[in-house]
Amino acid sequence: MELDKKYSEAKDEALVKAAQKGDVKAFEELVARHRDKVYGRAFSMLRNEDEAYDISQEAWIKAWQRIKQFHGDSNFTTWITRITINLTLDYLRKQKRYKVESIEEQVEESGGVERQMDLEQVAPIDELERKEIRERIDKALQQLSYEHRTVLVLHEFEGLEYKEIAKRMKCSIGTVMSRLFYARKKLANLLKSLKREWKK
Amino acid sequence: MMTINDKLKIQAYVDGELDKAEAKKVEALIATDAEARNVYEELKTTATLLKENEPEVKLSVPRELYWQQIYSKIQQAESKPVSVFEYISGIIQLAFSRKYLVPVTAAIAIFAGVLTVKEIVKPTEDYLVVIENVADDIGSYSFRASSEKMFVVWIYNKETESPKPVNNEPDDLMFEGGVSYQ
């Protein structure tokens, strides 16, 4: 009991150091703390529960195998999430779910370059509204192509720069920029009813 | 009329990807061109909406089961000998979908019981054991053949199945299916 308390109260940094010395219990605590985040990131890109589950487990196994290579340059959550992203991208590539899109195809999918996004400034919202907004964003993300969804997840949720995204998705920065633009446009069209409900 | 490249430039400005000189040019454009300003506002709004409202996803699988699966795989990857308990529970987890968490958990409890009996008895002969199960609808048998270094555990649904040995002769003791460990 005391031992469990020691782990549950420890900071991530202390748990990482212990895990680097081979302490499996410390690693187990890290898994317990961050498993939702890891699974959630894989799911946000794959939109498949079973695949996301398997990728999340693979990410934790890789993390254990490479834990000694983690030097604390970023926080642990960022590190394990990056492992998850790389595994997910590799998986998508192996599954050949990424396709090469022409600008014309992207334009068509997003509803046209000239169509204006039907969104305005969002007013302050309470938790219930936020939950509903998240659900609607979730549904909208589900309707995007793998390419568009991935670029949005990496940019908006992970905060990666264009060149980082290009490196991970193995494409040019120009491709990242156009995918991001059309992904936002399509998403905005899918969420346009939010304007009526939450605009100032 | 703005081109797609103009719009991508505005997007790069919204995302903080431009150097100072380029950023100033875009700022000037936004200040003087209504269409550019509109594109800027739209991109900014969408980006903010997403950043502040990432959908939340939670794992429904219990912490212990999730960790046990990871730990088993870590051990396998490190080529360390895996305990009988972990091996069998891994097989069960593969055999059953995650939606059958309750029966799987019950099965794991049965295996723990089997292994406990095995440790207590420490037999040198082949033998058949019927394990008393905590679950009402799940029954189990185990069979150990020391000479063959074989250990078989049979789990069945009491309501729909009642596994009977095909042949009661000890040398031919077989069931019509099941989970085995060798």
Side-chain angles (χ1 to χ4, degrees), chain B residues 105-122:
Chain B
T105 308
I108 290 170
I110 292 165
F111 288 127
V114 169
L115 294 177
T116 306
V117 169
K118 190 180 138 217
E119 284 302 307
I120 294 167
V121 177
K122 289 192 183 306

Side-chain angles (χ1 to χ4, degrees), chain B residues 98-110:
Chain B
R98 278 190 295 278
K99 63 185 176 182
Y100 298 119
L101 270 179
V102 173
V104 168
T105 308
I108 290 170
I110 292 165

Side-chain angles (χ1 to χ4, degrees), chain A residues 50 53 57 116 162 184, chain B residues 15 42 66 69 73 98:
Chain A
D50 288 339
Y53 188 89
Q57 294 219 322
Q116 296 301 315
Y162 292 170
R184 281 169 166 162
Chain B
D15 293 333
E42 290 163 353
Y66 186 72
Q69 290 171 328
K73 288 173 191 166
R98 278 190 295 278

